[in-house]
Amino acid sequence: MDSYGSSLNRSQSLTSGLEKSSPTWKPSHSRSSSTLSSRHSRQIVKDWEVIDDPQAEMHAGGDNPQDMTTPGICEGYLLKRRKWPLKGWHKRYFVLEAGNLRYSKSQHDVSRGRVQGSLDLSFAVMSINKKSNRIDLDAGDILYHMKAKSHELFYIWVTKLQAHRQYKKNEAAHVHSSLLQTLSQGTVAGHEQRNGDLSSAGMVDSAGAPALVLPSDNTAVNSKVSAWLQQSHDPDTCVQELNRCCVDLSELNRLIQRLQLLEAGQAFTNGDLKRIISTQNLSLEKPKKSRSGKMWGHSRTLSRVEALGMLSSSHLNSSPHLGTSVPSIPEYVYSQLSPPTVTSPEGKKIQQDICAMSLRVLASLKTVHETLSQERQKMQEVWESNNIHQSNTLAEPAVVRRSSHGPPSVADSAAEYFDASDDILCGSSSEVSDESGLSDGSTTNSEPEEGHASATRKYRASISKSPNSVVPKSTGRRTKLPAHCPDNSHVGLMAILYNNIGKDLARVSMPAPLNEPVNLLQRLCEELEYSELLDTANNTADPYQRMIYIAAFAISGYSTATFRNRYKPFNPVLGETYECIREDRGFRLISEQVCHHPPISACHADSDNFSFWQDQRWKNKFWGKSLEILPTGMVNVTLPRYGDHYEWNKVVTCIHNVLSQQRYLEHYGEVTIRNLKSNICTCKITFVKSRYWGSDTNKNEVQGTVLDQSGSVIHRFGGLWHEGIFCDTLPTPQCVWKPNPQPKDYQLYYGFSTFAMELNELTPDLLPLLPPTDSRLRPDQRMLEEGKVDEADKKKDDIEEFQRERRKELIKRGEEHVPRFFKKAKDSCGRDVWLTNGTYWKLRENPGFANIENTAMW
């Protein structure tokens, strides 16, 4: 009992460690924690806690796999939040088993094997918010926001998650040590034993305890796979393996029933019950009743636990400190962290048999899966090669079929090999359908599907055969920056981010070495790098083809992020402005920071062929391993020749593994483009979420369709947002857009494109024409561009402090900041928007900004 109590005490200190020891997480940079002094920041840090595992317990399971008892299954409904735009909670059914968390839309979907997402807890950072009953899990590639309906359920889930994560990490540590031991021995006897029968040599050691068999060491299974792969395919062999699995599963069922009967006949003390509950398979939902009044749908274990009253609300509330801190979870729940033991020798023997039988089933199923995967891949390659060979000859017949029978969708192109009805059912309830969308009621889908993958491979092959973009002609502007980007590895980024988990990082001051020498106002201008697509759209008579160029322009704005995941843009100060006149491209732009809380940037650009405007607010949230950038606001484009007014939203941008050198960036979600002046067509673009198990070739997929009034697909297009977009339904299939080649040594200059290099350039002839609020004149940004990092960091502090003083003065006078060049209005949907008031270019020309009073920014 003492060991159990000591384990409990360690567990209780686990979740309070961050709150008590958070001052030890101090930024190594002198100023990176300056923003934590505000009351709001302290409240955020207090509410959110990072749950970490103490190093002392990492190997609690010991060297014997028998000590690593698998924690009991926990399942039930939780609320799960959308990823974009972080609005709305959806009820999802979660199952926690053997260190893996998976979820589906309902318990019925779980029983049918329909899984919407899964997460390995050993890779996840877990942060909790006791006040709102929230649990966030960030595994780098996967991010879950969850919320329990009550404190009781919240504490049970937190405890179960901790136990399963502990188990999963101990299991990984044991596998690693076993592998090292196997490699160090390397004896012939060891090889002979691994090649022996699984039930006798591979599963039980000399002492009779179950031994861990690594899949990579199982040469018997590998030899079977090799033998099968040498054949074209052998369905009879697969049938034999599956029949063997059925026999083994029947035996497993019998063993499990014996073990349950054995445990049911034992008498337990209160201490035993506490340990047993930690291993129970808990279903936290009320069981359904049949017409006869009998309970069904739950295990014998749950009924027994409920009969004991161990999970009743009244029992949980009897704890005097419940709700004040996570360590106040009742002891019987914390017993989950103390692996129980089966004292009966017969029970131990049955567990060993179950382990051996399970590994046999796993080996057989893995072999079948690998073989079928190989055959399926061969079939796909043959099918794709035939399609690519026939794509040009079938182009004209495809146009005729679309005109008479309606065009095929993206999923239709793969209907020959994939079940269309299943795709529709699964697609409507995919990962992003409940996390990414335009509104709470949307059914947005950016999960990868087989149809998406095969179509993208075809688009990518077509793009690679298309000629590269022409290198932009020399404009006389600069082609490199004055200094290389600084090394920011010394900056305590982890301390800054962990102290602000769940907080909008737009309000957090970052050290200058983490910035790039452009700001968010200039980033808005950077979206016009491929403005020639809008020029083409304005000169395209067909409205459906016109929409394709608008869609390509909307996608092109994301391509700049490909090489830009190491630094962030400066946050503009209130009233800061930026102008850009590009006579070579035929447009001019003005942007202004119109609001500080929340931070909103507005811009407007004019050209003979288009008008472009938007106001954006970016929310930046850090969840332990990933940094999400969530834009709000709509993008607008008008084409004067046809009177079109297009409007669309933006998708989520996420930087994964933000604290490691293997970080990468992706966009996911759905964009809907509407013409507010005509309903003849709409466009839907899906930025496909990368596959967790996929390679780099599966990332950055984007696909879209142009729909007519009835919803029929007129055009389809796709590709990758960093490589190009191809449309195969045009009269002449063509690559609609390809990004410009990167300049020489771009990696030394923040990953900037040629266009980005020119954004902050300040020429002598431009200097007297700019207002003193222009971003080119911002001293900290200029110092960073010139390589004066320390000076830039100090100046950035001064500018931010000056901004705070300006706001205080306005509050004292009872005034509010009034933007100078933009005005607040309502759009057709009643949303607040910021539109140009048309005064900037007039004032610039006459009398000139040098001759009028201007607000001091720095």
Side-chain angles (χ1 to χ4, degrees):
M1 197 68 185
D2 293 339
S3 62
Y4 170 71
S6 62
S7 176
L8 174 61
N9 292 334
R10 289 196 303 271
S11 305
Q12 290 176 330
S13 64
L14 179 68
T15 52
S16 60
L18 174 62
E19 190 169 351
K20 293 179 180 179
S21 62
S22 57
T24 61
W25 275 347
K26 292 182 179 179
S28 60
H29 201 273
S30 60
R31 61 163 305 284
S32 57
S33 61
S34 62
T35 60
L36 299 180
S37 59
S38 67
R39 182 180 305 174
H40 178 73
S41 298
R42 289 196 300 268
Q43 185 65 34
I44 291 293
V45 173
K46 182 178 179 181
D47 291 349
W48 281 96
E49 302 178 20
V50 177
I51 307 302
D52 204 356
D53 296 311
Q55 294 298 322
E57 294 193 2
M58 284 299 293
H59 301 284
D63 295 330
N64 193 340
Q66 184 179 356
D67 296 335
M68 297 191 302
T69 305
T70 306
I73 299 173
C74 186
E75 58 182 300
Y77 282 101
L78 289 171
L79 297 177
K80 188 170 183 293
R81 200 176 200 180
R82 294 177 181 274
K83 280 191 176 180
W84 193 94
L86 278 182
K87 288 183 180 179
W89 294 85
H90 291 263
K91 191 176 180 181
R92 293 293 180 263
Y93 196 84
F94 284 84
V95 178
L96 179 59
E97 182 177 9
N100 295 297
L101 181 67
R102 64 183 188 272
Y103 74 95
S104 300
K105 250 191 172 182
S106 65
Q107 188 176 10
H108 179 66
D109 283 354
V110 172
S111 64
R112 297 187 63 180
R114 290 181 175 176
V115 178
Q116 291 184 253
S118 63
L119 182 147
D120 186 337
L121 288 176
S122 64
F123 300 119
V125 172
M126 181 165 69
S127 53
I128 64 171
N129 188 319
K130 303 185 297 292
K131 290 186 177 181
S132 58
N133 297 332
R134 282 190 53 184
I135 305 170
D136 286 356
L137 297 172
D138 186 350
D141 293 331
I142 307 173
L143 178 60
Y144 290 168
H145 306 286
M146 304 175 296
K147 182 163 64 174
K149 292 183 179 180
S150 66
H151 289 295
E152 291 82 6
L153 291 177
F154 168 74
Y155 286 134
I156 290 172
W157 275 106
V158 168
T159 306
K160 283 284 191 180
L161 287 167
Q162 285 181 276
H164 279 262
R165 185 172 65 165
Q166 178 88 26
Y167 164 79
K168 197 72 171 178
K169 290 186 176 181
N170 287 344
E171 182 185 53
H174 180 78
V175 170
H176 180 69
S177 61
S178 300
L179 178 60
L180 292 179
Q181 183 178 4
T182 301
L183 293 176
S184 63
Q185 291 176 352
T187 60
V188 176
H191 288 294
E192 293 175 350
Q193 184 182 20
R194 285 194 296 273
N195 286 327
D197 181 72
L198 289 175
S199 61
S200 60
M203 301 303 172
V204 181
D205 62 14
S206 59
L212 181 65
V213 177
L214 297 176
S216 59
D217 289 339
N218 197 331
T219 55
V221 172
N222 289 339
S223 62
K224 289 183 182 179
V225 174
S226 300
W228 286 1
L229 292 179
Q230 290 174 0
Q231 308 172 23
S232 58
H233 55 274
D234 190 353
D236 292 336
T237 308
C238 290
V239 170
Q240 292 173 7
E241 289 288 350
L242 291 175
N243 289 335
R244 185 182 305 169
C245 284
C246 291
V247 175
D248 290 341
L249 288 173
S250 299
E251 178 65 15
L252 275 176
N253 184 51
R254 187 187 66 81
L255 291 172
I256 292 172
Q257 289 178 353
R258 281 187 57 195
L259 186 61
Q260 288 178 338
L261 291 174
L262 180 66
E263 291 183 351
Q266 296 179 0
F268 300 108
T269 64
N270 289 336
D272 292 331
L273 285 175
K274 291 180 179 180
R275 290 174 175 82
I276 291 172
I277 289 173
S278 67
T279 62
Q280 298 305 303
N281 298 333
L282 299 183
S283 181
L284 304 178
E285 298 302 308
K286 294 292 184 182
K288 295 181 180 180
K289 289 186 178 181
S290 64
R291 292 185 177 180
S292 62
K294 295 183 179 180
M295 309 292 279
W296 62 275
H298 290 272
S299 64
R300 170 193 58 81
T301 297
L302 179 61
S303 300
R304 187 167 125 226
V305 171
E306 289 179 337
L308 293 170
M310 298 300 289
L311 292 180
S312 66
S313 178
S314 59
H315 181 83
L316 286 169
N317 289 330
S318 65
S319 178
H321 303 292
L322 183 62
T324 58
S325 179
V326 172
S328 300
I329 303 175
E331 290 185 359
Y332 78 88
V333 179
Y334 257 126
S335 66
Q336 171 72 55
L337 298 176
S338 177
T341 58
V342 178
T343 56
S344 168
E346 185 180 356
K348 290 184 178 180
K349 179 63 170 61
I350 294 176
Q351 285 185 348
Q352 294 175 9
D353 293 340
I354 291 175
C355 179
M357 193 70 63
S358 300
L359 288 174
R360 284 172 55 182
V361 172
L362 175 63
S364 295
L365 290 177
K366 183 179 178 182
T367 305
V368 172
H369 176 266
E370 290 179 353
T371 302
L372 294 179
S373 297
Q374 292 285 345
E375 294 300 325
R376 183 171 176 277
Q377 182 64 29
K378 293 176 183 177
M379 182 173 63
Q380 278 187 337
E381 291 174 356
V382 173
W383 171 56
E384 290 168 8
S385 63
N386 290 338
N387 279 351
I388 293 175
H389 178 71
Q390 298 174 4
S391 60
N392 292 332
T393 60
L394 293 178
E396 292 185 4
V399 174
V400 174
R401 286 197 302 271
R402 283 194 301 275
S403 62
S404 58
H405 302 289
S409 64
V410 173
D412 291 337
S413 64
E416 187 174 354
Y417 290 91
F418 305 104
D419 189 345
S421 60
D422 283 349
D423 283 350
I424 293 172
L425 288 171
C426 297
S428 63
S429 60
S430 67
E431 167 81 308
V432 179
S433 69
D434 63 294
E435 290 186 338
S436 298
L438 308 180
S439 64
D440 294 348
S442 69
T443 57
T444 308
N445 176 21
S446 62
E447 275 295 284
E449 297 179 355
E450 292 297 343
H452 273 152
S454 59
T456 298
R457 284 192 289 269
K458 292 190 293 182
Y459 286 133
R460 191 173 195 182
S462 300
I463 292 170
S464 64
K465 297 175 183 177
S466 304
N468 292 326
S469 300
V470 179
V471 178
K473 296 180 180 180
S474 176
T475 60
R477 299 172 182 267
R478 67 182 184 183
T479 57
K480 62 180 182 179
L481 300 180
H484 294 168
C485 53
D487 176 19
N488 55 19
S489 60
H490 66 286
V491 179
L493 178 60
M494 183 174 71
I496 300 171
L497 295 179
Y498 268 89
N499 282 331
N500 293 280
I501 283 184
K503 185 178 179 181
D504 185 358
L505 295 182
R507 298 189 177 191
V508 178
S509 177
M510 295 287 183
L514 295 178
N515 290 85
E516 59 185 16
V518 296
N519 66 20
L520 291 173
L521 298 177
Q522 293 164 313
R523 276 286 188 97
L524 293 180
C525 180
E526 197 171 355
E527 294 181 22
L528 289 171
E529 178 171 358
Y530 300 98
S531 60
E532 64 270 14
L533 290 168
L534 298 180
D535 297 333
T536 303
N538 191 53
N539 291 289
T540 300
D542 184 270
Y544 303 107
Q545 295 183 24
R546 197 155 63 237
M547 181 65 84
I548 292 176
Y549 290 106
I550 295 294
F553 172 77
I555 296 170
S556 70
Y558 294 95
S559 64
T560 59
T562 310
F563 311 101
R564 307 275 284 278
N565 56 25
R566 295 175 55 201
Y567 302 89
K568 63 173 289 293
F570 276 82
N571 293 331
V573 299
L574 187 62
E576 186 172 346
T577 63
Y578 176 74
E579 75 161 53
C580 181
I581 302 176
R582 295 302 299 255
E583 296 177 353
D584 57 320
R585 297 173 180 264
F587 73 81
R588 63 181 184 180
L589 171 139
I590 172 61
S591 56
E592 180 180 6
Q593 189 72 5
V594 296
C595 187
H596 186 63
H597 288 304
I600 300 176
S601 306
C603 74
H604 185 97
D606 282 314
S607 164
D608 291 339
N609 290 318
F610 65 86
S611 290
F612 165 88
W613 71 93
Q614 63 174 313
D615 57 84
Q616 292 292 331
R617 175 191 176 187
W618 292 269
K619 288 184 178 181
N620 305 296
K621 294 293 185 69
F622 175 65
W623 300 110
K625 287 186 177 181
S626 305
L627 179 65
E628 279 188 323
I629 304 169
L630 304 106
T632 61
M634 306 295 285
V635 184
N636 293 264
V637 166
T638 59
L639 303 179
R641 173 169 293 186
Y642 302 102
D644 293 337
H645 179 178
Y646 300 96
E647 180 186 73
W648 65 88
N649 62 290
K650 290 187 173 181
V651 296
V652 176
T653 297
C654 187
I655 303 175
H656 296 284
N657 305 322
V658 69
L659 298 177
S660 73
Q661 296 301 316
Q662 287 75 39
R663 70 173 66 98
Y664 68 94
L665 182 148
E666 72 168 331
H667 309 293
Y668 46 78
E670 187 175 273
V671 174
T672 300
I673 306 178
R674 295 182 176 89
N675 188 346
L676 302 183
K677 298 297 184 180
S678 172
N679 61 357
I680 190 172
C681 64
T682 57
C683 179
K684 291 187 177 180
I685 309 170
T686 299
F687 285 76
V688 183
K689 190 175 178 62
S690 62
R691 297 167 179 79
Y692 179 69
W693 60 87
S695 62
D696 290 340
T697 59
N698 300 126
K699 295 179 179 178
N700 305 344
E701 296 178 43
V702 58
Q703 294 190 29
T705 54
V706 177
L707 311 171
D708 63 13
Q709 290 174 288
S710 65
S712 299
V713 178
I714 303 301
H715 291 295
R716 63 178 182 271
F717 56 88
L720 297 98
W721 52 258
H722 71 295
E723 289 187 2
I725 299 299
F726 191 88
C727 182
D728 56 1
T729 57
L730 291 170
T732 302
Q734 61 177 292
C735 181
V736 181
W737 165 78
K738 252 189 175 183
N740 296 323
Q742 286 290 98
K744 183 181 178 181
D745 298 329
Y746 67 92
Q747 293 178 333
L748 300 176
Y749 301 111
Y750 304 90
F752 282 179
S753 65
T754 300
F755 187 75
M757 294 270 194
E758 302 166 351
L759 290 175
N760 204 49
E761 183 178 13
L762 182 59
T763 58
D765 59 329
L766 183 61
L767 180 60
L769 302 176
L770 295 175
T773 57
D774 194 278
S775 300
R776 294 179 183 86
L777 303 176
R778 180 168 172 167
D780 54 346
Q781 187 171 311
R782 182 63 58 186
M783 291 174 180
L784 178 63
E785 183 182 277
E786 295 172 349
K788 303 173 183 177
V789 181
D790 293 336
E791 295 91 329
D793 197 42
K794 184 178 182 305
K795 192 64 178 179
K796 186 172 182 290
D797 277 340
D798 295 340
I799 292 174
E800 290 169 353
E801 182 61 31
F802 184 65
Q803 179 178 226
R804 285 188 284 269
E805 292 299 325
R806 284 196 297 126
R807 290 187 65 236
K808 290 179 182 178
E809 289 297 324
L810 287 175
I811 294 174
K812 284 182 181 179
R813 297 197 300 265
E815 300 175 0
E816 292 184 357
H817 173 77
V818 179
R820 192 174 184 186
F821 306 113
F822 287 81
K823 60 184 178 182
K824 198 172 187 178
K826 296 283 186 181
D827 66 6
S828 58
C829 296
R831 295 176 297 229
D832 289 335
V833 294
W834 291 90
L835 305 176
T836 178
N837 59 19
T839 62
Y840 182 87
W841 302 110
K842 295 177 181 178
L843 290 175
R844 187 183 191 273
E845 182 178 354
N846 185 24
F849 292 112
N851 301 317
I852 58 178
E853 183 178 353
N854 299 281
T855 303
M857 297 282 105
W858 33 73

